[in-house]
Amino acid sequence: MSSPELVPGLAGIPAAESSVSFIDGQAGVLEYRGYPIEELSAHSTYEEVAWLLLYGELPTAEELKAFTADLERLRVLPEALVSMVKAFPRTGHPMQALQASLAGLGMVAPKVDLKDAASRDEATRRVIAATPVLVALFERVRAGKEYVAPREGLGTAANFLWCLDGEEPDEVAAKTLDCALVLHAEHTMNASTFACRVVASTENDPYTSCSGAVGALFGPLHGGANERVLNQLGTIGDLSNVEAWFEGKSERKEKVMGFGHRVYKTKDPRAKNLQLLANEMFGKLGSTPKYDIALKLEQVVTEKLGSRGIYPNVDFFSGLVYEKLGLATDVFTPIFAMARVAGYCAHWSEQMLDNKLFRPGQIYKGKRQRAYVSIDKR
Ligand code: SDX
């Protein structure tokens, strides 16, 4: 039998069977459990979408009420975990803090009985509930501010803004953030979800599996791109610089952050939704020069690279929305993570229900059967 060919980055190689979400990269389609992302971002809250991803159906009013109450209960961080995050060095990046915090959550949470559905549910809900609070907590630690505990009666997005600023969250801001969380909640077998499933496959709890996933998401080629898009727009500085800046990137064979995708070969449907969100916000709160630069950059890049399937991805407009909400650039990727933990937990649950340890092969390129040489003869 001929040995299988290497596929760099396992591009397009199925790593699992899944029913959580579906992408058609040519048509620019994304569905969560069969529901088009456009429908969900227009009508659903993040809590509704988290339930849909975890359990496969939109929740009834009673299910959503009970789920929301659970998230409220589990959002309260144990004191030992708050003290741990307060001790983190302020020089760390918020994604490094989040990765450590999720492992820390596993240190203080009850041990998960992987064979018991109720225990699995409690653990996945605890991850989804606690992640935004952990992100906000480290932001305050870095600013030298006191911890603001989550408040009852606020949903995920509003509570994040409350825990971050300690002020009554603005309704438009909370609704805008909630929509962005829906758009970032899940995306089939991306690098960090794959990392989550690999860690899960060794029979790990969701804390450890999501901590591993956050490590993968941190990278600039994945979730870390949204932070770099804003820096990129800042570097360009003016509409008149866009073409020269892009020429320089092309000459240096450098990638433009926020463009291209392993699966989408057309504009990412989430980028379209986030652009609508940005337009809506700028209509209400006033535009920003970076948005005009972004539109010009999109025109230039797609003119030059569109024929190669390189278009804006989810990270291209998200940062403009978050910056308008007054959020710090390096918290953009943790916001991506606090949305995506719903998808990670849905995939963790799927992996647990039909688990097979991930252990791929390799194509060996090294030497064989070498004779040992003592150090005096080397
Ligand atoms: C996310 O997988 C997911 O679903 C991820 C995600 C999710 O929701 O989980 O959608 C979130 O990670 C979005 C992507 C965010 N990353 C960026 O914006 C970083 C910039 N993008 C690129 O790094 C790149 O497009 C990737 C990594 C996203 C995808 O790259 P591939 O599929 O591995 O393709 P490649 O790197 O092999 O590039 C193929 C060619 C190369 O040219 P050649 O060497 O063949 O001449 O296309 C070029 C690349 O140079 N190319 C780009 C480019 N992306 C690809 N050229 C310029 N700018 C770019 N952005």
Side-chain angles (χ1 to χ4, degrees):
M1 185 178 85
S2 67
S3 61
E5 289 285 300
L6 177 72
V7 178
L10 297 177
I13 301 291
E17 289 185 338
S18 176
S19 330
V20 181
S21 64
F22 170 80
I23 297 175
D24 176 337
Q26 297 303 327
V29 169
L30 169 61
E31 295 166 356
Y32 293 170
R33 298 286 190 182
Y35 290 92
I37 191 64
E38 294 78 5
E39 290 281 292
L40 295 172
S41 62
H43 305 297
S44 284
T45 61
Y46 175 69
E47 288 78 5
E48 262 197 316
V49 161
W51 176 280
L52 171 67
L53 292 170
L54 286 171
Y55 304 111
E57 299 297 334
L58 286 168
T60 62
E62 296 69 44
E63 286 166 337
L64 185 60
K65 189 162 175 269
F67 184 59
T68 306
D70 254 3
L71 295 182
E72 196 149 273
R73 170 174 59 87
L74 295 165
R75 205 168 271 140
V76 179
L77 300 181
E79 201 34 57
L81 183 56
V82 175
S83 309
M84 175 182 155
V85 177
K86 281 182 177 175
F88 285 169
R90 295 185 190 178
T91 48
H93 188 284
M95 281 298 274
Q96 293 165 320
L98 180 58
Q99 186 176 16
S101 303
L102 285 170
L105 184 59
M107 294 165 82
V108 296
K111 187 161 170 34
V112 186
D113 175 355
L114 300 180
K115 297 197 175 4
D116 176 71
S119 180
R120 293 199 304 270
D121 274 352
E122 178 86 350
T124 51
R125 294 178 188 200
R126 180 178 276 108
V127 169
I128 293 168
T131 298
V133 186
L134 290 165
V135 170
L137 169 55
F138 185 66
E139 281 309 291
R140 291 189 66 88
V141 166
R142 285 203 313 162
K145 296 178 184 169
E146 269 313 298
Y147 168 48
V148 171
R151 232 175 66 189
E152 289 189 359
L154 293 178
T156 301
N159 237 317
F160 171 70
L161 295 173
W162 160 254
C163 293
L164 191 66
D165 305 327
E167 291 163 13
E168 193 57 35
D170 171 85
E171 251 181 65
V172 171
K175 175 123 186 46
T176 303
L177 182 60
D178 183 73
C179 185
L181 296 180
V182 166
L183 290 166
H184 285 82
E186 158 64 12
H187 210 241
T188 75
M189 202 56 71
N190 58 85
S192 53
T193 297
F194 179 46
C196 176
R197 290 190 77 136
V198 169
V199 177
S201 77
T202 67
E203 292 195 358
N204 259 313
D205 60 40
Y207 311 114
T208 312
S209 305
C210 289
S211 176
V214 166
L217 188 66
F218 183 25
L221 294 189
H222 191 11
N226 58 14
E227 177 180 337
R228 287 164 178 77
V229 168
L230 251 288
N231 300 337
Q232 189 171 263
L233 294 174
T235 306
I236 293 171
D238 185 278
L239 269 180
S240 59
N241 300 336
V242 171
E243 289 183 284
W245 179 87
F246 176 70
E247 288 315 318
K249 292 293 269 189
S250 305
E251 277 151 26
R252 296 189 301 272
K253 283 201 162 303
E254 289 172 3
K255 292 183 174 171
V256 183
M257 293 291 112
F259 286 86
H261 200 276
R262 178 63 61 79
V263 181
Y264 291 121
K265 299 308 167 191
T266 184
K267 189 166 179 176
D268 185 327
R270 300 166 298 174
K272 290 181 186 167
N273 273 266
L274 284 159
Q275 187 170 1
L276 288 175
L277 217 50
N279 274 321
E280 212 177 287
M281 264 184 62
F282 298 146
K284 284 188 188 125
L285 307 173
S287 188
T288 153
K290 285 182 188 170
Y291 184 55
D292 300 329
I293 294 172
L295 294 179
K296 177 75 177 163
L297 183 60
E298 176 181 9
Q299 179 210 325
V300 170
V301 176
T302 43
E303 260 164 26
K304 301 276 184 2
L305 301 177
S307 59
R308 304 179 60 190
I310 296 168
Y311 290 89
N313 60 47
V314 66
D315 289 311
F316 189 57
F317 291 108
S318 56
L320 287 164
V321 173
Y322 299 150
E323 186 183 60
K324 199 70 189 176
L325 294 179
L327 298 164
T329 312
D330 60 9
V331 85
F332 293 178
T333 309
I335 291 173
F336 192 147
M338 68 194 219
R340 188 55 59 88
V341 284
Y344 295 154
C345 287
H347 282 271
W348 177 85
S349 302
E350 229 178 29
Q351 189 69 33
M352 285 300 120
L353 289 178
D354 180 15
N355 187 31
K356 176 83 176 163
L357 174 71
F358 276 101
R359 205 299 185 195
Q362 64 168 18
I363 294 172
Y364 181 64
K365 309 285 282 182
K367 298 187 174 83
R368 298 287 318 280
Q369 300 295 317
R370 304 174 71 183
Y372 183 78
V373 177
S374 60
I375 192 158
D376 56 320
K377 295 196 174 61
R378 288 177 205 159

